[in-house]
Amino acid sequence: MTDPRASDPHSPEPHRPGPYRFETNRVIPAPVSEIFAVLCDPDGHVAIDSSGMLQSADGAAVAAEGDTFVVHMDREALGDYNLGHYDVTVVITRFVPPTGGTAEIAWTIEGDIEPPIGHVYGYRLTPVEDSGDGPMTDVLSYYDWSEAHPDWRDSGVLPVLDAKALRATLGILERAVRRGYVRG
């Protein structure tokens, strides 16, 4: 069977299973557009972070691949490496806006570390057929380090987060969409 997304350049990438990828999903009772808006907002990233590392963000909402914003980080929340406070630049690597179908946003981070790590975080948002309970969205969260620089991928530092952290973030995302979130 052929993947119908192969002929549509705006369709999300097909799933790439492998040993260097975590993913989890949750159905959230909200339209794709509302969830996508949180994921495009730098303050939204801080609001839904389950790790405690993201402290604040600077920058405008993203609207295209290549857009960036800065996140002020504190790795102490994970209790593994004492890096103090530091900044990373989020670089959007995939941006498929909601146009009535599946939407996707993904990013990598850049900072002072050389070589750049190259891991990717992302969300794929798929509308669920309306069963009369209002708009619902299947939200797939993924963390992929298959294309990370080998110095990092093979160092034991990755993955930074585990699948439980992705799952927890989805719960916080649902709460943020349903109740609102504090913008910087």
Side-chain angles (χ1 to χ4, degrees):
M1 175 178 242
T2 303
D3 186 336
R5 295 173 294 195
S7 62
D8 181 355
H10 300 291
S11 184
E13 292 178 4
H15 168 70
R16 295 177 310 182
Y20 301 110
R21 181 180 173 111
F22 293 139
E23 59 182 44
T24 188
N25 71 306
R26 177 183 185 121
V27 175
I28 295 179
V32 170
S33 59
E34 286 181 19
I35 298 167
F36 197 73
V38 172
L39 300 172
C40 290
D41 185 335
D43 289 323
H45 284 245
V46 176
I48 67 170
D49 169 44
S50 70
S51 74
M53 289 191 304
L54 283 67
Q55 300 297 300
S56 62
D58 293 320
V62 298
E65 287 181 22
D67 284 357
T68 65
F69 59 89
V70 174
V71 177
H72 309 291
M73 307 284 291
D74 183 0
R75 181 81 182 232
E76 187 175 327
L78 294 183
D80 56 359
Y81 299 101
N82 184 10
L83 301 177
H85 291 93
Y86 60 99
D87 292 342
V88 298
T89 300
V90 171
V91 180
I92 302 302
T93 59
R94 183 144 181 89
F95 192 89
V96 180
T99 56
T102 298
E104 186 168 1
I105 186 169
W107 60 92
T108 191
I109 60 166
E110 294 178 353
D112 293 334
I113 296 174
E114 292 295 332
I117 298 173
H119 53 180
V120 174
Y121 297 91
Y123 291 88
R124 184 172 300 138
L125 313 173
T126 305
V128 175
E129 188 173 324
D130 192 344
S131 63
D133 295 328
M136 306 280 275
T137 302
D138 182 29
V139 181
L140 174 76
S141 174
Y142 58 89
Y143 173 44
D144 189 325
W145 64 102
S146 61
E147 300 296 320
H149 191 283
D151 289 355
W152 293 108
R153 190 184 61 233
D154 303 332
S155 70
V157 171
L158 299 177
V160 174
L161 302 175
D162 61 18
K164 286 182 186 179
L166 295 183
R167 186 93 182 129
T169 295
L170 288 177
I172 298 167
L173 175 60
E174 179 174 339
R175 181 179 66 209
V177 170
R178 292 174 65 169
R179 297 179 64 196
Y181 64 96
V182 178
R183 290 176 170 88

